[in-house]
């Protein structure tokens, strides 16, 4: 286990104090036909139902968004909750998805609330497309130095980082493709997944260019849907319907911006990982299943390195070896991930980790999974990242 | 026309005005001398506010590049390359632009800026191989 200088000892008091007691989904579609407020309410109610709770048990709501979805101040009143004791409306995309659950876990551990639902609701295909086509340029002071050159969208930005990794370490399209093929095979076993038809490496290589070096099948889906998780105290979770999943560690990190990035092949996850593992008292060798933020194939490969599953530069060969397949050393994105299940900005990765640890993941269950790593976008573009280690109680 | 026109803010407006005069300037901290980009009030190294403009050699090295095949921006339909350039004069700083080379870029290749006048108000910075002959003023036609 890596040692972490200056880690506050009080962080260790937080280990396993909070639990995830339920998960909820709406169907994943390309056009929900309803508002993000409706999607959010449905996912929140589904998560409470899964936990065996009702809205009257709820005293906290949290979400992350980029101005594209319903905040807790809409969802609370819509569900008749006039006086939430804790709420959080976190600005940000995939880099803060796990921070929201981490903050909810801290809130219940500190007694600010007892039962919080964290949700993310998006019409990310039919209304606000994250992929960048068909909407305006994101408002950031840094946009002015890129947008005039037609450089505006995440597929372009991550392709740029992916190429840097290919140039430095010899990472190949076939290695990216192996990841896409493996995750699609996982999705074939997931009734929720939007894309379940198997693909081959040839299909991957024949898929059309989006932004070289990325092809269509390097890119995640754009999805309408919502996903939610119930966070409560470990003590309360033990009295509820589902087997509790403990939050063993939650860590926040920094990252790099478009314009300041000392090494595009190293992400903020490399600095966050030692803190995260130390908080849980575990190391990468203890992780049974990993749900890694896969906005693009490359983001998984760089995280395999930065979370310590293989040496820097060997993420591509690690994937090509079959290590991330269901029967490999580290099953990754067992639900199919954003590439094939759907894109709900991080929360569906947490929910899948919970299913795996509860042992109710059906045909895609990793036998005996006890510890899971789930991660957010590893800190490119917006200098922020976050991750969770979850453990079966 | 530019894909999107930049929207200068209170930190960056003077920088864009210098680009329009074909000058590549960055900020130099008056206290510790650290060069920085993009324009910001504070030096991240010594956390002080005093600074002056410092013209730098508009040179860098290719860190990465992409070729966009989707219409990610209005008015852009053909595949177009965008390069990520590590500025030589400002450590840790990356900038972007369209590629003006006759051939694809190469990893680590030294490049120089090409000032591309879009119209009376707007000039953009693209990149070309250092070994190429820079076009004379006025010959850089914007096609972005």
């Amino acid at each position: 286990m890596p040692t972490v200088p200056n880690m506050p000892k009080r962080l260790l008091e937080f280990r396993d104090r909070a639990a995830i007691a339920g998960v909820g989904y709406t169907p994943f579609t390309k056009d929900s036909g309803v508002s993000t407020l409706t999607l959010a309410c449905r996912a929140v109610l589904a998560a409470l139902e899964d936990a065996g709770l009702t809205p009257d048990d709820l005293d906290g709501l949290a979400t992350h968004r980029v101005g594209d979805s319903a905040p807790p101040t809409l969802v609370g009143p819509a569900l008749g909750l006039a006086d939430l004791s804790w709420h959080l409306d976190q600005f940000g995309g995939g880099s803060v998805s796990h921070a929201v659950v981490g903050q909810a876990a801290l809130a219940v551990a500190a007694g600010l609330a007892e039962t919080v639902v964290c949700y993310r609701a998006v019409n990310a295909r039919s209304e606000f497309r994250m992929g960048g086509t068909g909407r305006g340029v994101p408002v950031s002071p840094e946009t002015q130095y890129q947008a005039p050159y037609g450089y505006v969208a995440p597929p372009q930005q991550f392709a740029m980082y992916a190429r840097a990794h290919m140039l430095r370490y010899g990472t190949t399209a076939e290695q990216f493709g192996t990841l896409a093929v493996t995750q699609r095979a996982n999705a074939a076993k997931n009734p929720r997944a939007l894309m379940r038809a198997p693909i081959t490496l040839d299909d991957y290589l024949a898929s059309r260019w989006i932004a070289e070096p990325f092809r269509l099948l390097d890119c995640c889906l754009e999805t309408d849907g919502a996903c939610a998780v119930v966070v409560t105290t470990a003590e309360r979770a033990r009295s509820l319907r589902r087997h509790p999943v403990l939050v063993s560690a939650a860590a926040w990190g920094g990252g790099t911006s478009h314009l300041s990035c000392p090494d595009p092949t190293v992400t903020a996850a490399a600095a966050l990982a030692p803190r995260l593992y130390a908080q849980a008292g575990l190391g990468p060798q203890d992780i049974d299943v990993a749900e890694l933020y896969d906005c693009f194939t490359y983001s998984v490969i760089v995280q395999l390195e930065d979370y310590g599953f293989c040496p820097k530069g060997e993420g591509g060969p690690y994937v090509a070896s079959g290590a991330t397949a269901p029967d490999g050393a580290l099953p990754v994105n067992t639900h199919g991930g954003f590439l094939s299940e759907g894109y709900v900005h991080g929360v569906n990765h947490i929910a899948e980790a919970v299913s795996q640890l509860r042992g109710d993941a059906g045909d895609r269950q990793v036998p005996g999974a006890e510890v899971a790593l789930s991660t957010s976008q590893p800190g490119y573009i917006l200098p922020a990242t976050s991750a969770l280690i979850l453990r079966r109680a | 026309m530019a894909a999107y026109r930049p929207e200068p803010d209170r930190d960056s407006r003077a920088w864009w005005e210098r680009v329009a005069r074909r000058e590549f300037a960055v900020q130099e901290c008056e206290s510790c001398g650290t060069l920085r980009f993009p324009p910001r009030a504070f030096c991240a190294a010594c956390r002080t506010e005093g600074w002056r403009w410092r013209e730098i050699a508009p040179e860098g090295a290719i860190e990465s590049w992409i070729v966009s095949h989707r219409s990610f921006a209005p008015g852009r339909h053909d595949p177009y390359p965008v390069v990520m350039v590590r500025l030589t004069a400002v450590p840790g700083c990356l900038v972007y632009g369209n590629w003006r080379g006759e051939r694809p870029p190469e990893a680590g290749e030294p490049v120089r800026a090409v000032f591309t006048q879009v119209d009376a108000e707007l000039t953009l910075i693209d990149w070309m191989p250092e070994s190429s002959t820079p076009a004379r003023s006025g010959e850089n036609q914007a096609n972005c």
Side-chain angles (χ1 to χ4, degrees):
Chain A
M1 192 181 82
T3 55
V4 181
N6 305 322
M7 190 177 79
K9 290 213 168 28
R10 289 194 61 196
L11 264 181
L12 299 178
E13 298 170 16
F14 167 60
R15 181 194 298 169
D16 296 340
R17 289 274 305 279
I20 297 178
V23 301
Y25 299 87
T26 69
F28 296 158
T29 69
K30 290 184 173 179
D31 186 356
S32 71
V34 300
S35 65
T36 56
L37 175 58
T38 301
L39 290 173
C41 290
R42 287 175 179 168
V44 169
L45 293 174
L48 288 168
E49 163 89 23
D50 185 55
L53 295 170
T54 74
D56 292 330
D57 297 306
L58 196 58
D59 53 8
L61 278 173
T63 196
H64 64 289
R65 61 192 185 113
V66 287
D68 59 342
S69 181
T73 47
L74 280 178
V75 174
L79 293 175
L81 300 165
D83 185 29
L84 292 171
S85 62
W86 186 81
H87 43 84
L88 173 70
D89 182 10
Q90 167 89 49
F91 178 85
S95 54
V96 299
S97 52
H98 292 59
V100 169
V101 171
Q103 288 171 76
L106 280 170
V108 302
L112 292 168
E114 186 171 37
T115 305
V116 174
V117 173
C118 304
Y119 65 90
R120 177 78 171 114
V122 289
N123 280 325
R125 181 62 178 79
S126 66
E127 289 188 322
F128 188 93
R129 295 186 66 173
M130 278 293 152
T133 52
R135 69 177 169 106
V137 178
V139 178
S140 156
E142 297 198 347
T143 303
Q144 62 189 300
Y145 307 107
Q146 300 146 63
Y149 308 103
Y151 185 66
V152 292
Q156 299 175 298
Q157 296 154 353
F158 279 83
M160 192 73 88
Y161 297 116
R163 168 101 67 190
H165 199 275
M166 297 168 89
L167 293 170
R168 177 86 58 89
Y169 297 112
T171 310
T172 66
E174 286 75 12
Q175 291 162 351
F176 294 146
T178 300
L179 193 88
V181 169
T182 304
Q183 289 195 200
R184 181 61 63 85
N186 292 343
K189 295 181 282 188
N190 176 3
R192 282 189 309 269
L194 268 173
M195 304 297 282
R196 300 183 66 189
I199 55 171
T200 66
L201 194 54
D202 286 341
D203 293 331
Y204 165 85
L205 292 168
S207 68
R208 68 177 185 272
W209 289 121
I210 299 297
E212 293 178 54
F214 279 170
R215 298 167 167 84
L216 177 69
L217 293 176
D218 286 297
C219 304
C220 71
L221 307 173
E222 294 175 292
T223 307
D224 285 12
C227 187
V229 299
V230 179
V231 179
T232 187
T233 60
E235 184 181 21
R236 183 169 206 211
R238 287 193 174 87
S239 69
L240 297 177
R241 175 193 293 173
R242 296 292 190 179
H243 194 99
V245 169
L246 302 173
V247 180
S248 290
W252 291 248
T256 58
S257 76
H258 289 292
L259 300 168
S260 180
C261 183
D263 182 349
T265 67
V266 178
T267 73
L272 174 149
R275 295 201 297 274
L276 182 78
Y277 288 130
Q279 204 186 114
L282 300 169
Q285 72 282 355
D286 299 309
I287 304 298
D288 298 316
V289 58
E291 316 297 353
L292 304 179
Y293 201 90
D294 59 325
C295 46
F296 302 94
T297 50
Y298 165 70
S299 63
V300 175
I301 284 175
V302 74
Q303 286 180 87
L304 288 167
E305 300 166 0
D306 290 347
Y307 280 102
F309 297 106
C310 62
K312 180 46 72 181
E314 294 183 21
Y318 186 78
V319 167
S321 75
T324 64
D327 59 351
L330 182 75
V332 170
N333 293 341
T334 47
H335 49 335
F338 302 146
L339 296 178
S340 289
E341 185 194 51
Y343 182 65
V344 197
H345 241 163
V347 182
N348 53 324
H349 281 39
I350 301 169
E352 172 69 7
V354 170
S355 282
Q356 289 287 343
L357 298 176
R358 298 195 312 204
D360 61 20
D363 292 344
R364 59 186 195 283
Q365 179 66 46
V366 174
E370 297 274 340
V371 180
L373 169 68
S374 186
T375 69
S376 75
Q377 201 267 81
Y380 285 125
I381 299 168
L382 179 75
T385 187
S386 54
L388 300 170
I389 290 177
L390 304 175
R391 187 169 69 80
R392 180 182 170 85
Chain B
M1 58 171 260
Y4 288 99
R5 292 188 77 88
E7 295 179 16
D9 54 39
R10 293 180 184 196
D11 288 323
S12 70
R13 186 161 289 113
W15 184 81
W16 283 106
E17 289 167 3
R18 284 171 184 266
V19 171
R21 301 200 296 267
R22 297 179 175 251
E23 179 185 325
F24 200 134
V26 298
Q27 288 164 296
E28 180 179 44
C29 176
E30 282 182 350
S31 177
C32 74
T34 300
L35 300 180
R36 65 180 189 262
F37 180 85
R40 297 281 157 82
F42 279 83
C43 172
C46 72
R47 290 91 177 224
T48 59
E49 286 202 52
W51 58 271
R52 62 178 81 85
W53 288 114
R54 165 88 172 273
E55 188 167 3
I56 60 167
E59 296 165 356
I62 294 287
E63 185 96 4
S64 186
W65 71 94
I66 60 167
V67 181
S68 290
H69 289 255
R70 295 285 310 272
S71 180
F72 286 108
R76 305 218 60 157
H77 300 294
D78 297 333
Y80 61 98
V82 180
V83 294
M84 175 192 265
V85 173
R86 190 166 291 283
L87 283 182
T88 305
V90 188
C93 180
L94 297 169
V95 294
Y96 301 83
N98 293 122
W99 177 243
R100 300 289 173 183
E102 299 292 316
R103 51 163 178 77
E106 295 170 12
E109 169 174 7
V111 292
R112 78 170 80 197
V114 182
F115 290 90
T116 300
Q117 186 174 349
V118 177
D119 54 37
E121 284 81 38
L122 179 62
T123 295
L124 297 175
I125 296 174
D126 291 327
W127 297 90
M128 68 190 302
E130 190 179 54
S131 52
S132 300
T133 307
R136 289 192 304 276
S137 173
E139 284 190 353
N140 296 326
Q141 295 304 310
N143 63 357
C144 56

